[in-house]
Amino acid sequence: QVQLVESGGGSVQAGGSLRLSCATSGYTYNLNSKMAWFRQAPGKEREGVASVTPTVYGARTTYADSVKGRFTISRDNAKNTMYLQMNSLKPDDTAMYYCAAGRGGASLDIAGYMYWGQGTQVTVSS
C-alpha cells in the first residue's frame, strides 16, 4: 500500500522560506516513476508546482513558471522522502500543498499521478 505523508507547512510572512517534506512508503521510485508537488488555493484548480523523475543522467526536474528560481524540488532516496524548498514566498503561494507520485516522465499535468498525500497548508501573509 502506497502512502505519502506531507509535513512542513505553516504560516510565514512574505519573503520568508519553508521546506515541505513528503515521506513515502510502499512506492518504488525507479526510471518509470515521477513525483511532484501540487497546490490548490480556495476556489482555484489544483496546479502542478514542481516535479522530479529519475533518469540515467540524474534527476530531471520541472517547475511552474510562477515558482522558477524560488522553489527547489529534491528527493533523498535513502530516506524515501521528497522535499520542496520554498524561498521568497509570496501571498499568491498561499494554498494547500499536495505530494503526488505516479508513473511516466516528469510532468506538472495531474494525469499520471495516482497516489496523493493528505496535504499541508502554506499561508503567506503580506
Side-chain angles (χ1 to χ4, degrees):
Q1 182 179 0
V2 176
Q3 288 190 322
L4 308 177
V5 180
E6 303 97 334
S7 61
S11 297
V12 65
Q13 289 190 329
S17 298
L18 285 173
R19 188 176 81 156
L20 306 183
S21 299
C22 173
T24 68
S25 60
Y27 177 70
T28 301
Y29 188 69
N30 55 26
L31 291 179
N32 191 37
S33 59
K34 60 184 178 184
M35 295 191 71
W37 289 97
F38 287 79
R39 68 186 180 185
Q40 188 167 20
K44 295 187 177 180
E45 293 185 352
R46 190 169 297 189
E47 63 173 353
V49 174
S51 68
V52 61
T53 190
T55 74
V56 294
Y57 305 107
R60 177 189 172 193
T61 57
T62 305
Y63 295 93
D65 288 343
S66 58
V67 306
K68 281 181 181 177
R70 302 189 297 122
F71 290 11
T72 302
I73 188 171
S74 62
R75 178 183 161 90
D76 185 330
N77 292 331
K79 296 182 178 179
N80 289 324
T81 300
M82 180 176 68
Y83 302 97
L84 184 68
Q85 178 66 44
M86 306 186 295
N87 299 327
S88 302
L89 283 162
K90 305 175 181 180
D92 284 349
D93 296 319
T94 296
M96 185 71 78
Y97 283 71
Y98 298 91
C99 167
R103 299 298 173 199
S107 170
L108 298 181
D109 192 319
I110 199 169
Y113 291 96
M114 66 279 288
Y115 306 112
W116 293 83
Q118 81 289 350
T120 185
Q121 177 68 37
V122 171
T123 303
V124 184
S125 59
S126 58

